[in-house]
Amino acid sequence: MGGSAYRRLRQSRESGVLFVTIDAPPLNLLDVPLFAELERLAADVEGDDEIAVVVFTSADPDFFLAHYDIHDLLERGSRRPPARSGVLKRFHALLERYRTLPQLTIAQLEGAARGGGAEFAMALDLRFGALGRAVLGQPETALGIIPGGGATQNLPRLVGRARALEIVLGGRDLDAATAERYGLLNRALPADRIAAEVRDLALRIASHPGEAVRAAKRAVDAHVLPGHLGFVEEAELFGRQITTSAARERMRAFLAAGGQTREGEVRFGELIARVADEVRAAEAAGR
């Protein structure tokens, strides 16, 4: 992917998972250079079929993404307000691109993510926070502005209208435990376990056939379609997926290993993991 061309996003790969470490001293400020690298990364990831999951972490123990660069906002605020165009502004377009990536995206939060940093985390599919370390907040109204990177739209969907107003207008930080209770985090995890648990989940998801992961994400996202159209989308994706060679191979392997027998089903998790390991080993041997 040309990770060496990135100065602020360190990258490593493991079994279909791309780990991206945000490393932009002194505090992982979401400024114009980092923004440009995030745009480039989205374009690189989108067309890479070998990546099933992208995990974002931070090299800074105190900050995931501090917030958007206030100097840039002041400079833009010195100009006349832009006319309403009906076209997504650059920041919204970036966040929508991450939200709609075919890969699953995960934020591993072990420091603060405020303002645009929290909004970037909300654009990712899953969020996990370290207890005692992760902090999320939208402090914009205290500065006389409002969130401008999607928080006013995404927060009500994630936590409900009343809590969204509390977060946006209160301007206070949410710790990991509160963010989990509100629905902003999938889970709040002990700081000494979060890295291992996120890695295990990412590798588990990446062990599934990539086209199945992409189809499942697309089907879940169809829930926003009106009326019955989400079911129509799900049915089409399901019907297409069961015809793939990867799906048929794994279903046959599941039955051969004891699936749909009483003996096999009582150890279902072990059986599924074994099937995945056997299929991956066979694929590796055939390369």
Side-chain angles (χ1 to χ4, degrees), residues 159-244:
V159 306
R161 178 178 181 274
R163 281 176 167 164
L165 286 170
E166 175 194 347
I167 293 167
V168 170
L169 296 178
R172 292 179 176 173
D173 288 340
L174 294 183
D175 60 28
T178 305
E180 179 194 52
R181 182 161 52 86
Y182 277 22
L184 190 50
L185 291 178
N186 289 72
R187 279 188 289 157
L189 297 165
D192 61 350
R193 283 175 34 206
I194 185 170
E197 295 216 18
V198 169
R199 177 181 174 276
D200 287 349
L201 176 63
L203 290 172
R204 175 179 173 81
I205 294 169
S207 75
H208 308 329
E211 52 198 323
V213 173
R214 292 188 289 273
K217 177 175 173 178
R218 183 174 160 187
V220 169
D221 286 342
H223 82 280
V224 299
L225 295 175
H228 68 288
L229 294 181
F231 292 110
V232 172
E233 179 76 0
E234 180 189 69
E236 179 185 348
L237 290 164
F238 177 81
R240 186 185 308 163
Q241 201 59 36
I242 61 173
T243 68
T244 64

Side-chain angles (χ1 to χ4, degrees), residues 36-280:
E37 290 198 13
L38 287 169
E39 285 182 317
R40 185 148 47 95
L41 180 72
D44 286 345
V45 166
E46 192 170 33
D48 194 330
D49 291 338
E50 294 184 3
I51 298 173
V53 183
V54 184
V55 177
F56 283 90
T57 65
S58 171
D60 190 317
D62 296 319
F63 299 99
F64 177 76
L65 277 172
H67 50 73
Y68 194 79
D69 183 7
I70 303 300
H71 290 297
D72 184 62
L73 295 182
L74 282 170
E75 194 278 326
R76 286 159 53 192
S78 67
R79 305 191 295 265
R80 180 175 298 184
R84 183 167 183 158
S85 67
V87 176
L88 288 180
K89 71 174 185 177
R90 189 177 174 189
F91 194 12
H92 285 148
L94 172 71
L95 299 183
E96 273 297 282
R97 189 160 195 180
Y98 274 98
R99 187 185 68 80
T100 58
L101 281 176
Q103 295 86 357
L104 188 84
T105 54
I106 301 176
Q108 180 180 313
L109 298 155
E110 299 178 79
R114 299 185 178 95
E119 288 169 316
F120 177 77
M122 277 187 270
L124 304 182
D125 297 314
L126 309 180
R127 287 160 297 283
F128 297 88
L131 289 163
R133 292 176 59 182
V135 168
L136 295 105
Q138 301 294 154
E140 289 90 345
T141 55
L143 299 177
I145 58 176
I146 68 170
T152 65
Q153 306 305 299
N154 289 325
L155 275 172
R157 297 188 187 107
L158 290 168
V159 306
R161 178 178 181 274
R163 281 176 167 164
L165 286 170
E166 175 194 347
I167 293 167
V168 170
L169 296 178
R172 292 179 176 173
D173 288 340
L174 294 183
D175 60 28
T178 305
E180 179 194 52
R181 182 161 52 86
Y182 277 22
L184 190 50
L185 291 178
N186 289 72
R187 279 188 289 157
L189 297 165
D192 61 350
R193 283 175 34 206
I194 185 170
E197 295 216 18
V198 169
R199 177 181 174 276
D200 287 349
L201 176 63
L203 290 172
R204 175 179 173 81
I205 294 169
S207 75
H208 308 329
E211 52 198 323
V213 173
R214 292 188 289 273
K217 177 175 173 178
R218 183 174 160 187
V220 169
D221 286 342
H223 82 280
V224 299
L225 295 175
H228 68 288
L229 294 181
F231 292 110
V232 172
E233 179 76 0
E234 180 189 69
E236 179 185 348
L237 290 164
F238 177 81
R240 186 185 308 163
Q241 201 59 36
I242 61 173
T243 68
T244 64
S245 58
R248 294 173 65 79
E249 181 181 6
R250 290 197 179 209
M251 286 189 286
R252 289 193 189 102
F254 173 72
L255 292 174
Q260 292 189 190
T261 67
R262 186 169 186 83
E263 295 76 12
E265 296 286 329
V266 295
R267 49 187 182 85
F268 188 88
E270 175 190 332
L271 200 66
I272 287 288
R274 177 180 151 196
V275 167
D277 289 343
E278 289 176 354
V279 170
R280 286 200 303 273

